[in-house]
């Protein structure tokens, strides 16, 4: 069987239940979800038009619906995710996009805690991190309208 285009992408928001939804959908007998959960093929540093068929192989399944959960695709404020929405519109014009939200402040705290656990965040408290972070990554990831604006007509 040849690869195929995904039917859906869970594009965010981070720390809003994307992993749970990915796992729940994958348990349905007619839905295939990828392993790994996040395939970031359309990012600035990974996209290669010549490898699009290799990307489609990730969705090789007899199941009715196939998808993946690249929840970082809405982090427009990060350079590696610039242009993702335009590439998706061009290569996957019929894909269904799923975007989950959560109380923005709770999302920020969860994001910060995960970063602390992985060692990718400063070893200072959340308040100090938010005031020191010139890019305000934690805050921008919670700006749901801005995150989705790249996908709106």
């Amino acid at each position: 069987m040849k690869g195929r285009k995904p039917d859906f992408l869970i594009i965010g928001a981070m720390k809003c239940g994307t992993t749970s939804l990915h796992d729940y959908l994958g348990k349905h007998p007619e839905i295939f979800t990828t392993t790994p959960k996040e395939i970031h093929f359309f990012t600035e540093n990974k996209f290669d038009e010549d490898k699009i068929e290799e990307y489609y192989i990730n969705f090789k399944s007899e199941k009715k619906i196939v998808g993946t959960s690249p929840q970082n695709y809405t982090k427009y404020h990060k350079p590696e995710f610039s242009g993702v929405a335009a590439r998706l519109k061009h290569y996957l014009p019929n894909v269904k996009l799923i975007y989950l939200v959560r109380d923005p402040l709770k999302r920020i705290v969860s994001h910060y805690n995960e970063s602390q656990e992985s060692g990718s965040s400063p070893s200072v408290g959340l308040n100090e991190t938010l005031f020191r972070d010139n890019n305000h990554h934690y805050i921008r990831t919670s700006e749901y309208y801005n995150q989705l604006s790249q996908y709106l007509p």
Side-chain angles (χ1 to χ4, degrees), residues 25-61:
L25 290 173
K27 291 179 186 334
H28 191 282
E30 294 182 356
I31 300 176
F32 170 81
T33 55
T34 60
T35 302
K37 176 192 134 204
E38 299 178 35
I39 300 173
H40 293 112
F41 178 77
F42 290 97
T43 58
E44 188 68 30
N45 59 347
K46 292 185 181 175
F47 179 74
D48 182 345
E49 185 175 28
D50 295 333
K51 295 185 178 181
I52 193 83
E53 293 299 325
E54 290 178 34
Y55 170 72
Y56 296 151
I57 293 296
N58 290 296
F59 307 99
K60 185 178 175 180
S61 174

Side-chain angles (χ1 to χ4, degrees), residues 64-98:
K64 185 176 181 180
I65 298 172
V66 297
T68 191
S69 303
Q71 50 83 17
N72 287 323
Y73 276 6
T74 49
K75 291 182 181 172
Y76 77 98
H77 60 281
K78 305 279 271 179
E80 62 268 29
F81 299 110
S82 65
V84 167
R87 285 189 282 279
L88 289 178
K89 184 176 181 179
H90 179 77
Y91 290 97
L92 303 174
N94 297 316
V95 73
K96 303 297 183 227
L97 301 175
I98 300 169

Side-chain angles (χ1 to χ4, degrees), residues 138-151:
Y138 294 101
I139 295 169
R140 289 185 178 176
T141 304
S142 282
E143 294 174 339
Y144 303 136
Y145 174 80
N146 290 332
Q147 296 296 332
L148 288 172
S149 67
Q150 307 299 304
Y151 292 89

Side-chain angles (χ1 to χ4, degrees), residues 10-23 37-38 69 71 98 100:
I10 301 172
I11 58 171
M14 174 186 189
K15 307 310 298 170
C16 291
T18 58
T19 300
S20 294
L21 181 59
H22 181 91
D23 292 343
K37 176 192 134 204
E38 299 178 35
S69 303
Q71 50 83 17
I98 300 169
L100 303 175

